[in-house]
Amino acid sequence: MMTFAEQFDRFAQLHLPAHLGDDAILRFRSLARPVDAARDVALGLDEGSDHLVFVSSGAIKLVAHASAGRNQVVAFHFPDELVVVPARAEHSYTLSTLRKSDLLVFDYASFADLARGDPAVLRSLLDTARSSLSRSREKSLTLGRKTATERLASFLVGMAHRIGVEREGLTFIDLPMSRRDIADSLGLTIETVSRQFTILRDLGIVRTVGKSGVQLVDLRALEARAGYLTEAA
Amino acid sequence: MMTFAEQFDRFAQLHLPAHLGDDAILRFRSLARPVDAARDVALGLDEGSDHLVFVSSGAIKLVAHASAGRNQVVAFHFPDELVVVPARAEHSYTLSTLRKSDLLVFDYASFADLARGDPAVLRSLLDTARSSLSRSREKSLTLGRKTATERLASFLVGMAHRIGVEREGLTFIDLPMSRRDIADSLGLTIETVSRQFTILRDLGIVRTVGKSGVQLVDLRALEARAGYLTEAA
DNA sequence: CGGCCTATTGATTAGCCTCAACCCACGTGG
DNA sequence: CCACGTGGGTTGAGGCTAATCAATAGGCCG
């Protein structure tokens, strides 16, 4: 549990330019609504407008909903990251916590209006949007054209970059999301995800530790199975 | 074939703020590189840096490449739209024309640097990125969780909004892309796309006219088959 | 009118999903 | 301290959707 001051300072340090005056910072600060949510909670955001959410601690998922109860995890986000949460469109979106999290919630329109006074803030927001766009496009390729094994391999490589830690020379990942979340992110079922874990484990490429731990024994082999384009065009 | 002046004026009108001074406009103008490409041409963009591409006329596709020659169409774009084309990352991207097109190509970094002087330009860029992000997230849901029929129905509804024209009270679409492009956009094969067209045709929901024409006879029925979430959460 | 490329249709196969049972880690309470 | 219960995860058998392989039809160009 972080204090609001700690959270906002961290946010300002990462997403607001250093040169910003005290009064400008205070205005942004007044827009921030702190949300301290337990594990596995859906945030009740107003679906009528866009939001910006800063992850101070914990981990979250952004989920899109289709008919018949089908869900697609559109993005996972981790501490220090800023997320653009869209209003309801053809489909509706839900933001949920994967574990106990401290968040700062902004109304997008207000934030953007305030940012109009400083190009650097907009530039930073634009960078956030662009990196989300890149990840989303990568996900399209994964969902549209990759096999189940490739999807899990791509997922693990991505998570290794984002939340992996070095341990005894190997990368270790403590996955905050359940098999269901992984399945909903990769467009598969939990059974298929489980089977792919078994395959990678039997090949000696990864080792699983409990329910959430994954040790990447052979990162090269994992990348080779991720379906990346190897040669230059 | 549009002149450079016509193209840039159109671009400026849509994506640059009205209040911009003449000298600032000239600086943006000096960054624009006109490209007049025939049908089905891959633009040779430097893969080492990001680009912005404005579509003056024609139609284009942004394609992501995986191993084994598998392609995923990540986005289609039409006249008056601005596209963010990323540098090579885990996968490489290609921008290709669907038909004869007039384009303006900008180096992203130069453009963004110049935009630093005017928040309104950045705001406009941010809006562009956000709408691309929204469409990409919708695509993730389609690719991850929808059946073949739902994918084609969603695709047709989307195209109706973007390039459909009213004709005799019905929406008519002249699709600039081939069945292969549609398949690569929906994560299916051309045969499956073709079969889904046959199904929708036999149901009396759409009528096909030649290879590229589609008449939406029953838009409601099409939307009902698109897998949208109907009730509010 | 002829040739070519794209689209459609058909038969079979493969990969993932569905349904079902079992296992295991963890938390609880006797 | 251990028996039990619970929920997530794994494993197995069979079915179904879309892919693959193959052949035909049809629009569009010269």
Side-chain angles (χ1 to χ4, degrees):
Chain A
M1 177 74 189
M2 296 169 72
T3 67
F4 176 65
E6 283 168 354
Q7 290 188 60
F8 187 82
D9 286 352
R10 183 76 183 151
F11 165 75
Q13 185 186 334
L14 291 165
H15 296 281
L16 295 180
H19 62 74
L20 217 59
D22 284 352
D23 54 339
I25 287 192
L26 278 177
R27 277 197 288 275
F28 279 110
R29 192 178 162 117
S30 72
L31 291 180
R33 179 166 66 86
V35 172
D36 171 26
R39 190 180 154 283
D40 212 33
V41 169
L43 267 69
L45 299 177
D46 168 24
E47 294 210 330
S49 56
D50 294 353
H51 291 84
L52 279 175
V53 174
F54 174 71
V55 184
S56 302
S57 75
I60 61 176
K61 61 178 174 182
L62 179 62
V63 184
H65 306 277
S67 60
R70 294 171 294 179
N71 298 325
Q72 174 66 43
V73 172
V74 150
F76 290 116
H77 281 282
F78 305 106
D80 293 345
E81 295 178 351
L82 191 58
V83 195
V84 180
V85 182
R88 194 174 201 287
E90 269 104 341
H91 306 94
S92 78
Y93 292 89
T94 312
L95 194 72
S96 303
T97 55
L98 296 173
R99 50 170 59 150
K100 190 175 178 333
S101 302
D102 289 303
L103 310 172
L104 292 181
V105 178
F106 300 87
D107 177 72
Y108 176 81
S110 312
F111 192 97
D113 282 348
L114 197 48
R116 221 186 303 190
D118 194 310
V121 180
L122 284 173
R123 184 80 193 259
S124 158
L125 258 190
L126 180 55
D127 287 344
T128 297
R130 282 200 311 138
S131 81
S132 290
L133 178 58
S134 282
R135 268 203 292 267
S136 183
R137 283 169 169 172
E138 296 275 312
K139 187 184 270 277
S140 288
L141 179 54
T142 298
L143 294 174
R145 288 292 180 232
K146 290 191 183 179
T147 65
T149 311
E150 288 174 336
R151 293 183 198 203
L152 184 61
S154 302
F155 170 78
L156 290 175
V157 171
M159 285 302 130
H161 288 136
R162 296 177 71 186
I163 55 172
V165 296
E166 290 304 307
R167 186 188 285 187
E168 294 151 22
L170 295 179
T171 303
F172 182 83
I173 315 173
D174 181 27
L175 295 173
M177 69 290 282
S178 67
R179 293 288 189 268
R180 164 141 306 287
D181 292 327
I182 297 173
D184 283 347
S185 171
L186 299 180
L188 301 170
T189 59
I190 53 175
E191 294 94 331
T192 299
V193 170
S194 188
R195 281 184 246 271
Q196 303 314 317
F197 264 113
T198 303
I199 290 173
L200 292 178
R201 202 187 305 119
D202 290 351
L203 285 166
I205 294 175
V206 308
R207 210 173 294 152
T208 52
V209 183
K211 287 184 176 173
S212 65
V214 181
Q215 181 101 27
L216 304 190
V217 179
D218 188 344
L219 186 54
R220 286 296 152 74
L222 194 63
E223 287 170 341
R225 288 182 172 268
Y228 297 145
L229 190 64
T230 43
E231 54 181 315
Chain B
M1 176 76 190
M2 295 169 72
T3 66
F4 176 64
E6 282 167 355
Q7 291 188 60
F8 187 81
D9 286 351
R10 182 78 184 150
F11 165 76
Q13 184 186 334
L14 291 166
H15 297 280
L16 295 179
H19 62 74
L20 217 60
D22 284 353
D23 54 339
I25 288 192
L26 278 177
R27 277 197 288 274
F28 280 109
R29 192 179 162 116
S30 73
L31 292 179
R33 181 166 65 87
V35 172
D36 171 26
R39 190 182 154 283
D40 211 33
V41 169
L43 267 70
L45 299 177
D46 168 24
E47 294 210 330
S49 56
D50 295 352
H51 291 84
L52 280 175
V53 174
F54 174 71
V55 183
S56 303
S57 75
I60 62 177
K61 61 178 174 182
L62 179 61
V63 185
H65 307 278
S67 60
R70 294 171 294 180
N71 298 325
Q72 174 66 42
V73 172
V74 150
F76 290 117
H77 281 281
F78 304 107
D80 293 345
E81 296 177 352
L82 191 58
V83 195
V84 180
V85 182
R88 194 174 202 286
E90 268 103 343
H91 306 94
S92 78
Y93 293 89
T94 312
L95 195 72
S96 303
T97 54
L98 296 172
R99 51 171 57 152
K100 190 173 177 338
S101 302
D102 290 303
L103 310 171
L104 292 182
V105 178
F106 299 88
D107 177 72
Y108 175 82
S110 310
F111 192 97
D113 282 346
L114 197 49
R116 220 185 304 189
D118 193 310
V121 180
L122 284 172
R123 185 81 192 260
S124 158
L125 257 189
L126 180 55
D127 287 343
T128 297
R130 281 200 313 138
S131 81
S132 289
L133 179 57
S134 282
R135 267 204 292 268
S136 183
R137 283 168 168 172
E138 296 276 312
K139 187 184 271 277
S140 287
L141 180 54
T142 299
L143 294 174
R145 287 293 179 231
K146 291 192 184 178
T147 65
T149 311
E150 289 174 335
R151 293 183 198 202
L152 185 60
S154 302
F155 170 78
L156 290 175
V157 171
M159 284 301 132
H161 288 136
R162 296 177 71 186
I163 56 172
V165 296
E166 291 303 308
R167 186 189 285 187
E168 294 150 22
L170 296 179
T171 303
F172 182 83
I173 315 172
D174 182 26
L175 295 172
M177 69 290 282
S178 67
R179 293 288 189 268
R180 164 140 304 287
D181 291 327
I182 297 172
D184 283 348
S185 171
L186 300 179
L188 301 170
T189 60
I190 52 174
E191 293 94 330
T192 299
V193 170
S194 189
R195 280 184 247 271
Q196 303 313 319
F197 263 113
T198 303
I199 289 172
L200 292 178
R201 202 187 306 120
D202 290 351
L203 285 167
I205 294 175
V206 308
R207 211 173 293 151
T208 51
V209 184
K211 285 186 176 172
S212 64
V214 182
Q215 181 101 25
L216 305 189
V217 179
D218 188 345
L219 185 54
R220 287 295 151 76
L222 194 63
E223 286 169 343
R225 289 183 170 265
Y228 297 144
L229 190 65
T230 43
E231 55 183 315

